[in-house]
Amino acid sequence: ADKLRIWEVTRATSAAPFYFKMLEAELEGGVKAFRDGGIRENNPSGAAWSEFISLYGMEAYHRSEANATPALLLSVGTGRPDLSADGFPAAWPGPFGQFKLTKKIADIFAVFQNVLIKYTDGEKQHDRMLAEAKGEGENTWYKRLNVSTGLEHMKLDDWVKGPWRDPAAAEDSEPSIVPGGQSLTRMEKVTQEYLERDFDGRFDTYAPPKMMLEQAAEKLVRHRRARERTRTEKPERW
């Protein structure tokens, strides 16, 4: 692995084109440039899975040997996209929308927008991971948490000033007007609604979000305890 500082890694992974410049760092062999991983792996679960297989081997996975599957692969999404139009333009209101040139421009824009949405959509990779997990894996080592509705039209640079209450503040405290406050409040609201909703067959495969979150938390705690208990006996495991 390249010897980058933590702030450099964070800066590199957030270098989204048209928003932030690439990170350039002096490393062995010269200067290297880094850009947002979403260009290739907008959902990085596939990259994590590939790295796991490179360490333990696909043959062991197919034979279901010990260590053949990850202890936990937790995939956290940023909200499902709106694919309802699926590349078709919406009708422009008024007589202006009847012009041929207007319709053509709207059609080109709709197709471009659809390509962009599907390019940044992480659900296709989720479907591939479900195939790798083979059903029972989602109940044990693979979890995907992703807000179902409410973030479809939130832009990448959405950071609107507004009211937001710091979770660390007293419960009876009033929200403060802060940069990004309106955006944060919106994200927190839809995330809470997502975690509190019941099972929905349109999005869920075996359990509602809250149960999956609890299962992931329990798995992390169990492994933390096992690591502490056996760190001197089995250092190679950790």
Side-chain angles (χ1 to χ4, degrees), residues 27-174:
L27 300 168
E28 293 183 14
V31 176
K32 285 188 179 181
F34 298 86
R35 181 169 273 175
D36 176 21
I39 295 173
R40 281 186 164 181
E41 298 281 357
N42 208 58
N43 178 341
S45 60
W49 172 251
S50 296
E51 184 170 352
F52 178 84
I53 291 299
S54 72
L55 292 173
Y56 294 96
M58 184 60 79
E59 292 182 3
Y61 171 64
H62 287 308
R63 291 197 300 266
S64 299
E65 296 179 0
N67 294 331
T69 57
L72 177 66
L73 199 166
L74 178 60
S75 175
V76 181
T78 56
R80 288 174 175 267
D82 182 7
L83 297 176
S84 57
D86 201 21
F88 289 88
W92 283 40
F96 185 67
Q98 302 304 314
F99 295 156
K100 288 184 178 181
L101 180 60
T102 303
K103 290 182 179 180
K104 185 175 181 179
I105 294 174
D107 187 47
I108 293 173
F109 179 76
V111 171
F112 173 77
Q113 187 178 41
N114 186 67
V115 169
L116 184 62
I117 288 174
K118 291 189 174 181
Y119 181 70
T120 58
D121 179 19
E123 294 308 302
K124 294 295 183 183
Q125 181 59 55
H126 170 52
D127 292 339
R128 287 191 285 270
M129 286 306 305
L130 284 178
E132 292 289 357
K134 300 176 182 177
E136 71 277 4
E138 193 181 12
N139 195 30
T140 54
W141 61 267
Y142 174 67
K143 311 289 181 187
R144 168 79 167 166
L145 297 170
N146 194 22
V147 171
S148 311
T149 57
L151 296 176
E152 299 92 333
H153 305 293
M154 196 167 195
K155 296 180 180 180
L156 186 62
D157 59 349
D158 190 305
W159 196 243
V160 182
K161 186 177 182 179
W164 177 72
R165 196 180 73 80
D166 188 341
E171 292 187 7
D172 59 349
S173 63
E174 292 295 322

Side-chain angles (χ1 to χ4, degrees), residues 72 74 215-225 227:
L72 177 66
L74 178 60
Q215 289 177 341
E218 181 180 356
K219 178 67 73 75
L220 289 170
V221 170
R222 286 180 179 273
H223 276 266
R224 173 63 184 270
R225 290 174 177 172
R227 183 167 64 247

Side-chain angles (χ1 to χ4, degrees), residues 7-27:
W7 75 263
E8 290 177 311
V9 173
T10 307
R11 172 70 179 78
T13 59
S14 62
F18 311 115
Y19 291 97
F20 301 106
K21 295 179 180 179
M22 291 188 295
L23 171 77
E24 294 186 346
E26 185 71 42
L27 300 168

